[in-house]
Amino acid sequence: NAGVTQTPKFQVLKTGQSMTLQCAQDMNHEYMSWYRQDPGMGLRLIHYSVGAGITDQGEVPNGYNVSRSTTEDFPLRLLSAAPSQTSVYFCASSSAEGQPQHFGDGTRLSIL
Amino acid sequence: AQSVSQHNHHVILSEAASLELGCNYSYGGTVNLFWYVQYPGQHLQLLLKYFSGDPLVKGIKGFEAEFIKSKFSFNLRKPSVQWSDTAEYFCAVNPSTYNNNDMRFGAGTRLTVKP
């Protein structure tokens, strides 16, 4: 079972560049989320989706956009990368509200 | 501000020692509670969860946690740790009175078990 797949695993960007972090799940989960993990701060929710066509902001949404055109995919876009966005990004999915989340392997993003 | 607090940032134990990691939250009302573990270089995995019922929850790999509503706590315990338990442990709360997909994580506790 693939579970939650994130690509790429590593990426280095220059300030001002844009990119999309991909996330796909094959478990038919309705709920998907993006988190960033920073040292000493745990995971912070960026954006989440409760189903195709429905997204909402989490705790730290600024500088990020998301869309959910299909149940399987939930890409995260950085329109103009900033050094403060250097982090490890995790995508997660769950079958229902408040249920345990399945996490992807993460994307380590460095912005120079 | 509403929060999830893990008071221990780094815990170092010898093998066979007992473990207790603290987790307190400040959300009122009904909450769902979780402990996740992140082994070095891996993604987060669920250790155990509490939704309702018996406040003493058993998880995988010999871990358990106790929900004490009056203390807003959900501490993680293991009677005898192993070297393979070296990892980072995250407490998470889904405050169901908020957006139901809004999972709030603590800052994590790094556990190092010396062989």
Side-chain angles (χ1 to χ4, degrees):
Chain A
N1 291 335
V4 179
T5 303
Q6 288 184 238
T7 56
K9 294 192 184 303
F10 302 94
Q11 184 70 50
V12 179
L13 293 177
K14 294 181 179 178
T15 297
Q17 285 185 311
S18 63
M19 84 159 292
T20 300
L21 308 186
Q22 301 292 343
C23 175
Q25 51 92 10
D26 61 359
M27 297 171 283
N28 203 32
H29 285 172
E30 289 294 325
Y31 295 83
M32 296 186 74
S33 307
W34 274 103
Y35 295 88
R36 58 178 292 172
Q37 183 181 27
D38 300 293
M41 303 186 75
L43 278 76
R44 292 180 291 168
L45 183 66
I46 304 171
H47 284 286
Y48 66 96
S49 168
V50 299
I54 307 170
T55 64
D56 207 344
Q57 297 181 348
E59 190 182 356
V60 288
N62 293 339
Y64 307 94
N65 283 346
V66 291
S67 60
R68 185 93 181 272
S69 56
T70 66
T71 299
E72 294 77 22
D73 300 300
F74 190 44
L76 177 73
R77 281 184 288 277
L78 285 72
L79 297 179
S80 179
S84 61
Q85 293 177 305
T86 293
S87 187
V88 180
Y89 291 85
F90 286 97
C91 179
S93 73
S94 63
S95 58
E97 298 174 11
Q99 291 294 315
Q101 300 195 341
H102 298 256
F103 284 84
D105 289 337
T107 295
R108 187 173 295 274
L109 182 62
S110 294
I111 313 241
L112 306 177
Chain B
Q2 309 284 2
S3 68
V4 180
S5 300
Q6 291 181 242
H7 309 294
N8 310 105
H9 296 294
H10 190 188
V11 173
I12 302 172
L13 296 172
S14 297
E15 275 193 314
S18 64
L19 170 72
E20 180 159 4
L21 302 183
C23 174
N24 287 89
Y25 61 93
S26 62
Y27 302 94
T30 303
V31 294
N32 297 326
L33 299 160
F34 307 85
W35 275 97
Y36 286 88
V37 60
Q38 185 178 30
Y39 297 104
Q42 297 187 26
H43 60 260
L44 276 77
Q45 303 170 43
L46 181 70
L47 265 182
L48 48 79
K49 62 184 186 291
Y50 172 80
F51 290 168
S52 63
D54 189 342
L56 185 62
V57 180
K58 303 284 187 185
I60 61 171
K61 304 186 180 186
F63 286 91
E64 65 179 30
E66 185 175 13
F67 170 52
I68 303 179
K69 188 173 182 179
S70 61
K71 294 185 178 180
F72 295 86
S73 70
F74 190 55
N75 292 354
L76 181 71
R77 298 196 292 250
K78 185 170 183 178
S80 177
V81 295
Q82 300 173 314
W83 176 79
S84 57
D85 293 326
T86 294
E88 190 148 17
Y89 293 81
F90 293 92
C91 179
V93 177
N94 170 233
S96 61
T97 56
Y98 289 74
N99 296 319
N100 289 328
N101 207 43
D102 190 359
M103 193 80 75
R104 297 299 177 117
F105 284 80
T109 297
R110 184 151 59 103
L111 173 65
T112 301
V113 180
K114 298 183 293 184

